[in-house]
Amino acid sequence: MNIQKYMAFVKAAEFGSFTKAAEALDYTQSGISRMINDLETEWGVFLFERGRAGISLTSDGLKLLPQLKRICNEHEILMTQIEDLHDMQSGVIRIGTFSSVATHWLPNIIRIFKKDYPKIDFELLLGDYTEIESWILNGRVDFGFVRLPSNTELETTFLEQDRLLVVIPQNHPLANCERFPINDLLNSPFMLLEKGAKAEISEIFEKHHISPQVNFTTWDDYAIMSMVENGLGISILPELILQRIPHKIIAKELEVPAFRTIGIATREQKSLSLASKRFLEYLPYRNRE
């Protein structure tokens, strides 16, 4: 590699000796001499005067020395940074996620991960399912949390199923029912949560051939909870987002249970950075306090 020849030149200039440069770089004297000859041949200039008293830089060698020193220094910095990455001493993990995972899973995972790798930073991008898939495919994030099944171009790993629950205000007539009847979704204004093209709640409607009165549509879970709390209608939300909520609402399982399947997706898991691969090993901590 040329960088080895540049280092040979710089060390020979510093020591004024091919022999001492060879000792410093763990080469033979003839190896250093050959690398210098290669540079001189390649560039068409003489770099050193050779004599019985030793070697000394030519005028051309003197002109090139500062730039070659900078190249060698930059190479050393680069190698240090690469070593740091392998030692998990630095880096950024970019994650695509939706609000319930960002709120209830990631804080605990990141907290425990940061205890072991305090110098790794994070960038979280919040979006809907289709946005997250797009970010993974175009490299905007390293990996993302998605609803399964997802885009077939992605490599995915199943994490868990998340129940979809009906949320109603505390004074709703069915507040005391054990399971919420599907057809009673038609009797109140409905607040629809849509997270991109892959809308699991709309799939429930299609499966049971019902068309609730959709009065409000958003991808913001907390906006829907507030609307329901204020008596503006009912909704269906994932159980994950309903943990530790401040809103005065009631969550009920449907008479025919419904779920969304959450997974992790990457373009190609083997090409992930070491930091990202290590982070995925911490996913089991998502449900621990």
Side-chain angles (χ1 to χ4, degrees):
M1 292 176 60
N2 278 341
I3 190 66
Q4 294 170 327
K5 296 176 184 177
Y6 300 162
M7 292 169 66
F9 169 80
V10 170
K11 288 298 181 184
E14 287 179 359
F15 291 117
S17 165
F18 288 165
T19 301
K20 290 181 179 178
E23 292 173 357
L25 295 175
D26 198 23
Y27 283 103
T28 62
Q29 186 274 339
S30 60
I32 295 293
S33 180
R34 185 168 55 253
M35 285 191 278
I36 300 300
N37 288 336
D38 287 345
L39 289 179
E40 291 179 325
T41 301
E42 182 180 346
W43 294 341
V45 296
F46 288 106
L47 300 174
F48 291 97
E49 298 281 357
R50 283 91 163 164
R52 293 180 180 177
I55 62 170
S56 60
L57 284 168
T58 64
S59 58
D60 289 337
L62 282 168
K63 289 178 182 177
L64 295 175
L65 180 60
Q67 181 64 24
L68 290 170
K69 276 187 174 181
R70 283 194 291 271
I71 292 173
C72 292
N73 287 338
E74 289 297 325
H75 179 263
E76 186 175 343
I77 292 170
L78 174 62
M79 291 298 101
T80 300
Q81 289 177 335
I82 291 172
E83 288 177 9
D84 284 348
L85 289 175
H86 284 291
D87 292 337
M88 302 283 286
Q89 293 300 308
S90 63
V92 177
I93 299 175
R94 303 166 303 157
I95 305 172
T97 182
F98 41 90
S99 54
S100 53
V101 166
T103 302
H104 297 294
W105 282 0
L106 286 176
N108 200 54
I109 301 172
I110 292 174
R111 178 178 61 84
I112 296 172
F113 183 86
K114 291 282 278 185
K115 287 181 180 178
D116 294 333
Y117 306 104
K119 294 185 180 180
I120 300 295
D121 296 322
F122 289 85
E123 180 184 347
L124 303 184
L125 266 69
L126 266 68
D128 61 43
Y129 302 135
T130 49
E131 284 177 320
I132 295 167
E133 289 182 3
S134 175
W135 293 336
I136 299 168
L137 287 170
N138 65 32
R140 179 64 185 85
V141 298
D142 301 309
F143 58 85
F145 292 86
V146 296
R147 179 199 171 200
L148 301 179
S150 66
N151 190 304
T152 55
E153 295 181 53
L154 298 173
E155 292 185 9
T156 59
T157 302
F158 167 82
L159 291 178
E160 62 184 67
Q161 284 194 319
D162 186 22
R163 286 195 305 171
L164 299 172
L165 302 177
V166 181
V167 288
I168 57 178
Q170 290 183 335
N171 61 355
H172 191 278
L174 294 176
N176 294 319
C177 74
E178 184 176 350
R179 292 190 174 186
F180 199 91
I182 292 289
N183 287 331
D184 276 292
L185 294 173
L186 301 170
N187 297 332
S188 301
F190 196 88
M191 309 289 151
L192 181 62
L193 178 72
E194 292 282 21
K195 288 190 178 292
K198 301 194 172 187
E200 59 261 0
I201 297 168
S202 295
E203 290 176 1
I204 294 174
F205 300 160
E206 293 173 10
K207 179 179 178 181
H208 296 283
H209 308 291
I210 60 174
S211 299
Q213 314 162 42
V214 177
N215 283 16
F216 183 80
T217 302
T218 181
W219 67 274
D220 190 314
D221 318 74
Y222 292 98
I224 284 184
M225 285 186 248
S226 182
M227 296 282 186
V228 172
E229 181 182 29
N230 283 279
L232 296 176
I234 66 174
S235 188
I236 296 176
L237 294 176
E239 186 174 22
L240 183 58
I241 199 64
L242 295 170
Q243 298 177 16
R244 303 190 303 275
I245 57 171
H247 299 281
K248 297 177 180 178
I249 56 178
I250 296 173
K252 295 287 182 181
E253 186 173 17
L254 283 162
E255 62 179 347
V256 180
F259 303 87
R260 68 171 174 177
T261 303
I262 302 175
I264 202 82
T266 64
R267 276 187 302 176
E268 192 178 38
Q269 193 154 342
K270 67 180 182 181
S271 65
L272 286 175
S273 68
L274 178 61
S276 293
K277 288 178 181 177
R278 193 63 49 81
F279 181 82
L280 295 181
E281 296 173 6
Y282 284 66
L283 288 174
Y285 290 107
R286 63 187 178 273
N287 293 321
R288 299 183 185 182
E289 297 299 328

